[in-house]
Amino acid sequence: MRAVKVRWHRGTASSVEIDDRSTTKRGGIGPSFQAMTKFHSPPRRFGAAAMALATAFTAVACGSDADNSAAPAESGSHSAHAGGSSAPPQPLRAGERFVGLKMAEAYTPAPPEGGGSDEYRCQVLDPGLTKTAFLTGTQFMPENVAIAHHAIVYAVPPGGAAAVREHDTKTPGLGWQCFGGTGVAGAEVEEGDAAWVDTWAPGATETLLDQDAGYKLEPGSLLVLQIHYNLLARGGKPAGSDRSAVRLRLTDGTPQTRELETWSLDAPVDLPCAADESGPLCDRAASIVDVTKRFGAEVGEMADRQVEECNQGGVPKPGDIQTCDHRVEAPMTLFAGFGHMHMLGRALKVELNPGTPKAMVVLDVPQFDFDNQRLMKLPSPVEIGPGDTLRVTCTHDAGLRKLVPQLKKLPPRYVVWGDGTSDEMCIGIMVVSPRKS
C-alpha cells in the first residue's frame, strides 16, 4: 500500500483585469501550477497537476513511441467524433469574468510524414496575467469543427516557460508537433511541470461546481494548446485552416474560496501478450528494456517500482486487471475525477475503503473510451482523511491491439507502464480540496 499525502500551496488572490486578446508566437505569462502530490515512496514520474473543470477530458497517451513520428498513423478505433461547436457559455456568476485567448494566426494542418490522417499541434497562448486569480472554468472554442477531433489546454509554470518559448522559437511555422503532452522537456504533465487545465471533445461544455472553488493561477506562466486535427473525412488531405480559441473563467476569489487540486492514483500495468501472439517483446524484461531505451531509465524503472509498492510480496502479477491501494494521510474533500489509460484500456474504478462497511465507489468508468476521458462530478462532495484508503483498479485488453490502427502494425509486446501509444498507464485522477481538519 502506498502512503500518500497531498501537498497544497496557499497564497492570497489579488485582482486582475484582462480583456479578450490574441496571442503572439513567443510572448506571454499566465497561470502557474505545481505538482500537488507528495508520495512517501520512491520518486514517481507522473506528477499530480491541477486542471480546470471541463465536461470532457479527452486525454491522449502521455508520449509518443520513438518509431511512431509525432502523431499516430491513424485515428483511434474507440470512437469517432463528428464535428460540433462548443455550446454557449453559462452565465457569469458573481465576481467572475471571461478571458478570451485566440491562436496567433490561422493554421492549416497536414498529415504526418509517412502517411496517416492525424496531426497533433501545440501552440502557445498568452493569458497575460499579472496578478493571482482563481480559474473556475475553461472552454475550448473550435473554429474549424470539420477537422477538430479534440483539444487539450496545458498550463506551464514559470519554471518551464523559457523551455516552451525556446522550443516554439526553433520550430518553423506556427507551433510544433506534439502527441500526448506539450512535447517540451521541462514542461510536461508527466513530470509535474505542467497541468491539464481543459480537454475538449465535440459537444463538450463547461462543468461548474456548485461550491465556491477554483484553481489558483499565478503570473509568470504560459498556456499550451494542443489540438488533434483529424483529416480522415478528407482522405488525409488538407481540409482548410483553423484559428480556434480558449475561454477562461476567472475570479479574484474570497477568503472562503476553496483551492482545488488534483491527486493522481496509479496502479501497475502487467499485460502479457495475447495467447495467439509471440515475439521478442512478449518477454517482460525485454519490454522494460525497450521502454527504457525509448524514454530513459526513470520511466523504465516505473514498472518494477510500482509492483514493489503496490503488490504484496513485490512480485509482478501478469493479467488484465491490476490494483493499488493508496492510504490517505491528510484531510481533504473529493469533488470529481476521471481516469487515464492508453488504447488498451477497458475499465477503471476508484473505491474508497473497499471491503469495509464504509466502502464507496467514487469514480467508475465501466466502458473506458480513449477518445472521451471525461471528468465526472461526484453526486455530492465526499470528506476523507487519515485512516481512509483509495483503491484504483484498471482493466486492460491485449486483444484491442489488433483493432486499434495505431497499434495493429506494431509487433506484439508485454505491456508495462510507459509513455508511448504502445505502452499503458493506469491512473485515477481525483479533484480535491485540502481541509485543515
Side-chain angles (χ1 to χ4, degrees):
M1 177 186 290
R2 282 181 168 164
V4 184
K5 181 179 180 180
V6 172
R7 180 181 63 201
W8 56 89
H9 307 266
R10 289 189 173 87
T12 303
S14 302
S15 174
V16 55
E17 296 296 335
I18 309 174
D19 297 323
D20 286 11
R21 63 192 70 192
S22 297
T23 64
T24 57
K25 181 172 174 61
R26 288 178 290 277
I29 54 178
S32 172
F33 293 85
Q34 299 183 37
M36 298 296 181
T37 305
K38 178 68 174 179
F39 290 84
H40 298 283
S41 56
R44 300 170 54 247
R45 187 168 188 266
F46 191 93
M51 69 190 77
L53 297 174
T55 297
F57 271 73
T58 315
V60 297
C62 292
S64 62
D65 291 299
D67 56 352
N68 273 6
S69 74
E74 301 287 342
S75 61
S77 64
H78 285 258
S79 69
H81 293 310
S85 60
S86 296
Q90 299 183 50
L92 287 168
R93 299 172 296 191
E96 291 182 332
R97 58 193 176 278
F98 286 133
V99 175
L101 306 174
K102 200 168 187 178
M103 291 165 51
E105 58 188 80
Y107 177 73
T108 301
E113 295 182 8
S117 58
D118 299 83
E119 181 181 8
Y120 292 76
R121 196 76 182 179
C122 279
Q123 303 178 43
V124 178
L125 298 178
D126 175 15
L129 289 176
T130 57
K131 296 182 180 180
T132 301
F134 282 88
L135 177 64
T136 56
T138 308
Q139 188 165 356
F140 172 74
M141 298 179 291
E143 181 186 65
N144 189 340
V145 297
I147 57 176
H149 184 274
H150 71 259
I152 301 175
V153 182
Y154 301 99
V156 180
V164 169
R165 292 191 186 99
E166 180 181 359
H167 192 80
D168 188 34
T169 300
K170 71 181 183 181
T171 305
L174 183 67
W176 62 94
Q177 285 195 341
C178 56
F179 175 74
T182 65
V184 180
E188 287 283 21
V189 172
E190 298 93 330
E191 299 284 359
D193 296 328
W196 256 308
V197 296
D198 184 34
T199 305
W200 170 89
T205 59
E206 279 186 307
T207 292
L208 304 177
L209 292 179
D210 296 331
Q211 294 78 16
D212 180 12
Y215 295 99
K216 190 174 72 174
L217 310 183
E218 298 174 346
S221 301
L222 298 173
L223 293 182
V224 173
L225 170 63
Q226 180 200 73
I227 303 178
H228 172 193
Y229 293 111
N230 184 277
L231 310 177
L232 191 62
R234 297 293 300 270
K237 299 178 181 179
S241 64
D242 174 67
R243 193 182 181 193
S244 294
V246 174
R247 182 176 57 237
L248 307 180
R249 182 187 293 257
L250 297 177
T251 181
D252 295 338
T254 69
Q256 289 73 42
T257 301
R258 299 283 297 270
E259 289 188 34
L260 295 177
E261 301 168 0
T262 56
W263 183 10
S264 170
L265 308 170
D266 68 339
V269 177
D270 268 288
L271 184 65
C273 288
D276 59 349
E277 294 179 325
S278 63
L281 290 179
C282 287
D283 176 73
R284 184 178 189 272
S287 182
I288 291 176
V289 169
D290 178 68
V291 170
T292 304
K293 180 180 178 181
R294 286 182 285 129
F295 301 108
E298 200 170 7
V299 181
E301 294 169 356
M302 278 294 293
D304 286 336
R305 184 183 303 154
Q306 289 174 317
V307 165
E308 180 181 347
E309 296 172 356
C310 295
N311 293 358
Q312 187 173 5
V315 296
K317 298 178 181 178
D320 298 342
I321 301 175
Q322 302 290 335
T323 67
C324 189
D325 289 349
H326 297 256
R327 188 169 64 244
V328 181
E329 290 198 339
M332 67 189 77
T333 305
L334 299 178
F335 286 100
F338 76 100
H340 177 62
M341 297 187 284
H342 292 182
M343 297 184 177
L344 301 181
R346 280 291 193 188
L348 184 147
K349 180 166 59 176
V350 176
E351 301 169 87
L352 174 63
N353 297 319
T356 74
K358 299 189 298 179
M360 174 189 300
V361 175
V362 294
L363 176 63
D364 190 14
V365 188
Q367 293 182 318
F368 178 81
D369 184 349
F370 175 77
D371 288 323
N372 189 19
Q373 299 179 58
R374 62 187 179 87
L375 183 77
M376 291 181 283
K377 294 194 296 185
L378 275 63
S380 59
V382 175
E383 306 294 338
I384 62 175
D388 290 325
T389 296
L390 287 168
R391 174 179 295 170
V392 59
T393 301
C394 287
T395 302
H396 293 89
D397 183 358
L400 291 175
R401 186 159 36 225
K402 297 178 181 179
L403 305 176
V404 178
Q406 291 97 319
L407 303 180
K408 63 183 180 181
K409 294 181 180 179
L410 300 177
R413 65 187 304 118
Y414 187 114
V415 180
V416 295
W417 183 281
D419 288 358
T421 55
S422 63
D423 310 311
E424 269 300 335
M425 290 186 176
C426 169
I427 311 170
I429 302 176
M430 305 304 298
V431 176
V432 307
S433 180
R435 291 184 290 113
K436 292 182 179 181
S437 61

